[in-house]
Amino acid sequence: MILGFGLLMPLGVLLARHKWMFGRDPETGKVSSGWYYLHILVQVLALLAAAGGVVIAILAFGWKDQPGFMLYLPHKWIGVGVMGMTLLQLCVSPFRPANNTPLRKGWNFWHHNWGRLTLLVGAGNCIIGALLVHDLKDAPYTNWLLPAGVVIGFMVLLAMCLEAFKMQMQRTYRYNPHTGAMLPVMQGHKHSKRRRGRQLLQGGAGAAAGHNGVNGHHTNGVNGYDESPYPEVHLDDSDTAREADQDRAQRERRPTV
């Protein structure tokens, strides 16, 4: 159960949430579709591992209630319920609607939140099971509770690190999680990557800028990045008038011959 709901299932969720890790498809300009197949494979393995944990628990402790052990009955029925939730999630997955249809938004909302709920219930039941083993077998807490805590804690830390990197890519306009549009991670000059990335993710404005030029600078015409590595300087009317006044003052102070 710890392997299924503590490691494999969280890993499958992270693969779907952080699909940008699979890189960019150069033909479509979006995230590569390899994440989808790996996500399904990992979730199926998680279900098989969890089912194996149920079989081992039944063989070790039996199906009947254990008098005097308060956590046995909740752990058993929570496990049955979370296995049903996982099966329902996998059975519904092949029937997702096509992109850009009214049903797809509702399906995504249900699928994502149902998966999160299943993951939380399964991870919580792993902790209950670790406590129950201590009562049934008089085993030290470190034998079961420590491994469960280490695995779940590692996955939480990994999720936080990936989320931080994803937010950085969104701030620099290199990845749009709503459309799947993505730029190469190391592409672009540091002075123009935010603006150029925003133009590209909004539908090719950078490519048009590469053809016509932006703010007087010529671009390479491929990805819309400036050939010049220097930051652009924009002068408004007040700046122009101020420079004219300074030139006039210098001429007036110049000695006559």
Side-chain angles (χ1 to χ4, degrees):
M1 295 291 287
I2 296 177
L3 178 62
F5 288 103
L7 181 62
L8 291 176
M9 189 171 291
L11 181 61
V13 172
L14 292 179
L15 291 175
R17 181 167 180 80
H18 301 287
K19 54 181 73 72
W20 51 266
M21 294 187 297
F22 291 83
R24 176 176 179 267
D25 187 347
E27 296 183 358
T28 62
K30 296 184 178 182
V31 177
S32 176
S33 60
W35 71 269
Y36 178 72
Y37 304 101
L38 188 59
H39 169 69
I40 294 177
L41 176 62
V42 173
Q43 297 300 68
V44 170
L45 292 177
L47 177 62
L48 295 177
V54 171
V55 173
I56 294 174
I58 293 175
L59 294 177
F61 305 109
W63 179 254
K64 296 182 179 180
D65 296 341
Q66 300 288 337
F69 297 99
M70 182 179 60
L71 295 176
Y72 184 83
L73 191 61
H75 177 69
K76 181 177 73 173
W77 290 113
I78 290 175
V80 172
V82 77
M83 290 297 295
M85 295 171 67
T86 306
L87 283 173
L88 179 62
Q89 183 81 318
L90 290 177
C91 291
V92 173
S93 298
F95 300 101
R96 64 174 183 168
N99 289 326
N100 302 323
T101 59
L103 295 177
R104 183 59 180 270
K105 185 176 181 181
W107 187 92
N108 286 340
F109 178 83
W110 182 89
H111 181 72
H112 296 166
N113 289 283
W114 187 261
R116 295 186 183 105
L117 179 62
T118 303
L119 178 60
L120 291 175
V121 174
N125 204 36
C126 289
I127 302 297
I128 296 176
L131 296 173
L132 183 61
V133 169
H134 169 75
D135 295 336
L136 290 173
K137 297 294 186 180
D138 197 21
Y141 283 116
T142 55
N143 289 359
W144 290 94
L145 193 58
L146 181 61
V150 168
V151 171
I152 295 175
F154 171 76
M155 296 307 300
V156 171
L157 180 61
L158 179 61
M160 294 173 62
C161 294
L162 292 176
E163 195 68 26
F165 197 88
K166 176 187 174 185
M167 292 175 63
Q168 176 63 20
M169 293 188 67
Q170 291 180 239
R171 280 196 297 267
T172 55
Y173 301 99
R174 296 185 176 279
Y175 173 60
N176 188 336
H178 301 292
T179 62
M182 185 178 180
L183 300 180
V185 176
M186 301 305 295
Q187 185 174 359
H189 297 299
K190 64 179 181 180
H191 294 297
S192 59
K193 64 183 179 182
R194 284 176 178 258
R195 186 187 70 247
R196 293 291 179 260
R198 181 172 66 251
Q199 290 175 347
L200 287 175
L201 292 184
Q202 288 177 350
H211 177 72
N212 298 323
V214 178
N215 295 323
H217 290 284
H218 296 287
T219 55
N220 57 20
V222 178
N223 291 319
Y225 288 100
D226 290 339
E227 292 180 352
S228 173
Y230 301 102
E232 299 174 2
V233 179
H234 302 273
L235 297 178
D236 54 15
D237 295 338
S238 61
D239 294 330
T240 305
R242 189 181 303 109
E243 291 182 356
D245 294 339
Q246 292 175 355
D247 293 340
R248 189 182 303 107
Q250 291 179 359
R251 287 194 300 268
E252 291 176 354
R253 288 195 300 269
R254 185 175 304 167
T256 59
V257 177

